[in-house]
Amino acid sequence: MNYWKLFTKLLDDNIAVDLVALLAYWYSHQQMCVRWKTVLSGLFLLGNGTRQGGILSPHLFSRYVRELLEGIISSNVGCNIGGKFFNTLAYADDMVLLASWFALQKLLTSCLS
């Protein structure tokens, strides 16, 4: 997830500029280290993604992928059950595309555009 694309989307949704600026500051100054057993790595900056376990993370991620999911859902490609198409399962930061091999290629292509 590209932070700056997310912040642009939030501004497009008329989220207060001050709130977006605060999020931009937090996310552009995040530092992380890795622990392996009892050893800690040095700190490094994060450039993408949402905070693991962060209370805003599911909301920010769902806003980031909204147009992508709308495009997939409206494509009418996927598993047809009783005349309704089911083509994606999305929860938190996980997504699954549901389709035959041929239809799956169409869904993947639509994700790239």
Side-chain angles (χ1 to χ4, degrees):
M1 184 179 84
N2 180 299
Y3 297 144
W4 305 109
K5 286 184 182 179
L6 169 66
F7 302 141
T8 300
K9 290 174 187 252
L10 293 174
L11 291 171
D12 290 344
D13 289 347
N14 295 317
I15 302 297
V17 173
D18 293 342
L19 178 57
V20 175
L22 178 63
L23 289 171
Y25 179 83
W26 282 348
Y27 275 87
S28 64
H29 289 81
Q30 295 186 94
Q31 292 187 349
M32 167 102 35
C33 67
V34 176
R35 180 170 61 187
W36 178 261
K37 297 186 181 187
T38 60
V39 179
L40 287 178
S41 73
L43 292 173
F44 55 92
L45 289 173
L46 296 178
N48 291 309
T50 58
R51 294 172 180 236
Q52 184 72 24
I55 195 164
L56 286 178
S57 295
H59 302 286
L60 295 174
F61 184 78
S62 68
R63 174 57 193 103
Y64 188 77
V65 298
R66 181 189 310 160
E67 289 90 0
L68 173 65
L69 288 175
E70 288 171 349
I72 291 170
I73 291 166
S74 67
S75 71
N76 289 330
V77 174
C79 297
N80 186 335
I81 302 173
K84 275 193 85 84
F85 284 95
F86 296 88
N87 54 16
T88 186
L89 299 173
Y91 179 76
D93 61 353
D94 294 317
M95 279 191 262
V96 176
L97 296 176
L98 306 170
S100 66
W101 283 108
F102 175 74
L104 186 58
Q105 183 60 55
K106 288 178 92 172
L107 290 176
L108 289 172
T109 301
S110 74
C111 289
L112 296 174
S113 56

